[in-house]
Amino acid sequence: NQHRFWETQPVGQFKDAGDTSLSEGPIEQPTLVSAVKQEPYNLPALYEWTTCDMDDDHTCTDVFTLLSNNYVEDDENMFRFNYSKEFLQWALRPPGYFKAWHIGVRVKASKKLVAFITGVPARIRVRDEVVRMAEVNFLCVHKKLRSKRLAPVMIKEVTRRVHLENIWQAAYTAGVVLPTPITTCRYWHRSLNPKKLIDVGFSRLGARMTMSRTIRLYKLPEATVIPGFRKMELRDVPAVTRLLRGYLSQFVVAPDLDDNDVEHWLLPMENVIDSYVVESPETHEVTDFCSFYTLPSSILNNQNYSVLKAAYSYYNVATKSSLLQLMNDALIVAKQKDYDVFNALDVMHNETFLKELKFGPGDGQLHYYLYNYRIRNALAPSELGLVLL
Ligand SMILES: COc1cccc(CC(=N)NC(=O)c2cccnc2OC2CCNCC2)c1
């Protein structure tokens, strides 16, 4: 009965797999917003709903602390995602966001924040339909409250609040298999600081490899190589939007980004999002673009280090350079900025550079899901053009 909850939801059900009579698209039709349940779902006695105002520093600190101590860990419980406050404010306040979708659960007596779930609005294209969706993320229940069936009520509550805004679909990811993934990605890691990665147990010294040989293997040039490679600026937004829309149009599922979205999601912010363009020295045209976001992980028990500084590949478009050369420059910049590791999923055209740039396969998978939208056959990761934070 581990999928007891998901069998009640409008998502692709395992029993429907292979049923070609089921059409692609919404599973349930929208209702009138006035027909949506107006009051929040019931919580267990001692708890209350709270809307987390991410503009308020104290609330932001409460959210940061809950996630820092209770959010996703790797399969061996050696690392835990440690999103920064600035990152959370960026991730949760895109154009058109709803404060009501930043949902917390507090202990009535102490007001302690013990659970969290969020949605942000996004326009996601599925084949040639642009669908208004919620990107649901940061579902977290305090370690001491697990198995109280809080997660299903958190999911129902964010769904209810999304319905109140007349939005009927959602996109989300998970490291676990739920009904039913639209695609399953592998994640890959490129060592930048192999000595630290081996010391903290993230990587292991290769067979017949010495530490000095390993350090040499992952060594990168001090400076980027592509002429005209520079940090993205506000004036680049229209060109980057054009590049991105052109590139993403080839994927089955991808965000439908306009200038406003690109300005929010891709303008560089220190220790949150890094974005670079290649401006042709001859024509001054912007021909390529690469980006990565900053998501450190707490190292749960190591004498010498407490934080793993990790970069996560975001959106990259190469039209004049090769994607290989462009990502090599991204690695060089990440190394310059003292990142320990550069992570990427095998989505979009990423598998064309992973092995050649010395990425190694991670030991887990990331499953992508759509809520209330059926995709007839699961996609290959290379058909997916969506990266969630
Ligand atoms: C190294 O520290 C970790 C701390 C917690 C979990 C994991 C493994 C893991 N689950 N990694 C990913 O999900 C992952 C690997 C590569 C790229 N993006 C990823 O996840 C992103 C996107 C989904 N939301 C979390 C961040 C690693």
Side-chain angles (χ1 to χ4, degrees):
N1 73 342
Q2 87 231 71
H3 294 313
R4 188 172 60 193
F5 167 70
W6 285 107
E7 284 159 7
T8 69
Q9 298 297 299
V11 292
Q13 298 297 330
F14 292 136
K15 65 178 171 34
D16 297 338
D19 182 343
T20 52
S21 71
L22 295 166
S23 64
E24 186 151 295
I27 294 167
E28 276 179 355
Q29 290 312 311
T31 73
L32 285 174
V33 169
S34 55
V36 174
K37 186 174 177 336
Q38 299 295 306
E39 64 290 338
Y41 282 90
N42 289 334
L43 281 169
L46 303 176
Y47 305 102
E48 65 186 9
W49 294 111
T50 181
T51 296
C52 295
D53 178 357
M54 299 306 286
D55 300 337
D56 173 75
D57 190 57
H58 290 113
T59 307
C60 209
T61 301
D62 288 349
V63 170
F64 166 77
T65 304
L66 174 73
L67 294 175
S68 186
N69 295 323
N70 301 279
Y71 198 46
V72 179
E73 296 173 8
D74 70 304
D75 289 348
E76 292 169 60
N77 306 105
M78 295 170 66
F79 308 99
R80 186 185 306 128
F81 286 139
N82 191 28
Y83 289 89
S84 73
K85 282 169 63 175
E86 295 72 22
F87 187 106
L88 292 167
Q89 291 183 311
W90 168 71
L92 297 177
R93 298 185 303 182
Y97 79 95
F98 302 97
K99 272 191 197 297
W101 295 7
H102 304 156
I103 305 169
V105 173
R106 292 191 184 281
V107 178
K108 275 180 183 153
S110 64
K111 302 300 174 201
K112 179 179 166 37
L113 188 69
V114 292
F116 189 59
I117 190 167
T118 68
V120 292
R123 285 185 323 283
I124 306 284
R125 181 182 49 74
V126 184
R127 293 193 215 281
D128 34 19
E129 292 288 313
V130 176
V131 181
R132 291 205 70 208
M133 295 196 189
E135 285 177 0
V136 175
N137 206 342
F138 304 113
L139 169 58
C140 178
V141 173
H142 195 285
K143 284 172 179 273
K144 293 206 173 89
L145 299 183
R146 301 283 165 89
S147 312
K148 281 179 171 286
R149 307 296 297 168
L150 262 180
V153 76
M154 306 283 296
I155 294 165
K156 285 191 289 193
E157 182 60 15
V158 72
T159 304
R160 187 187 70 85
R161 296 191 191 191
V162 168
H163 286 165
L164 287 173
E165 299 296 343
N166 197 27
I167 291 174
W168 305 94
Q169 272 74 36
Y172 51 104
T173 61
V176 291
V177 179
L178 304 167
T180 301
I182 61 165
T183 193
T184 293
C185 307
R186 299 296 312 266
Y187 36 87
W188 293 69
H189 315 290
R190 207 286 184 184
S191 297
L192 299 175
N193 183 350
K195 188 173 176 313
K196 175 175 176 181
L197 294 181
I198 289 164
D199 186 319
V200 304
F202 182 88
S203 311
R204 280 184 300 282
L205 199 54
R208 294 185 303 287
M209 290 282 281
T210 61
M211 183 58 81
S212 59
R213 167 111 172 66
T214 303
I215 291 168
R216 245 187 347 266
L217 172 68
Y218 291 113
K219 190 142 183 55
L220 288 161
E222 304 279 304
T224 54
V225 176
I226 301 172
F229 186 93
R230 63 168 171 80
K231 217 171 135 167
M232 179 186 175
E233 298 166 19
L234 182 61
R235 63 190 169 96
D236 301 315
V237 165
V240 169
T241 304
R242 257 191 308 279
L243 272 182
L244 252 183
R245 292 184 66 84
Y247 180 68
L248 292 175
S249 62
Q250 67 189 298
F251 302 110
V252 172
V253 174
D256 180 66
L257 299 167
D258 65 18
D259 283 353
N260 256 345
D261 303 313
V262 167
E263 182 173 338
H264 176 81
W265 289 122
L266 294 163
L267 261 190
M269 281 179 62
E270 180 93 22
N271 279 324
V272 171
I273 174 77
D274 272 71
S275 304
Y276 301 87
V277 297
V278 175
E279 176 185 337
S280 158
E282 292 81 41
T283 68
H284 296 291
E285 190 198 357
V286 169
T287 57
D288 309 278
F289 167 78
C290 65
S291 60
F292 56 83
Y293 63 82
T294 298
L295 169 51
S297 278
S298 303
I299 302 171
L300 300 181
N301 64 344
N302 180 273
Q303 271 76 11
N304 313 323
Y305 300 98
S306 61
V307 178
L308 185 72
K309 187 173 179 183
Y312 285 72
S313 179
Y314 200 34
Y315 291 101
N316 309 293
V317 187
T319 67
K320 285 289 173 302
S321 311
S322 68
L323 191 56
L324 187 88
Q325 191 64 55
L326 184 65
M327 294 311 291
N328 194 56
D329 271 1
L331 292 174
I332 291 165
V333 169
K335 176 64 182 174
Q336 286 173 350
K337 303 180 98 172
D338 211 23
Y339 286 83
D340 299 318
V341 64
F342 192 102
N343 297 315
L345 295 166
D346 57 358
V347 296
M348 297 182 271
H349 296 158
N350 290 356
E351 94 283 340
T352 62
F353 63 76
L354 291 169
K355 287 189 181 122
E356 196 157 350
L357 292 183
K358 298 173 186 161
F359 283 74
D363 52 10
Q365 295 179 314
L366 190 67
H367 308 275
Y368 276 74
Y369 300 94
L370 292 180
Y371 184 92
N372 193 23
Y373 201 95
R374 192 191 316 283
I375 300 269
R376 197 171 304 112
N377 300 313
L379 309 178
S382 57
E383 294 178 291
L384 182 72
L386 177 64
V387 177
L388 297 187
L389 302 171

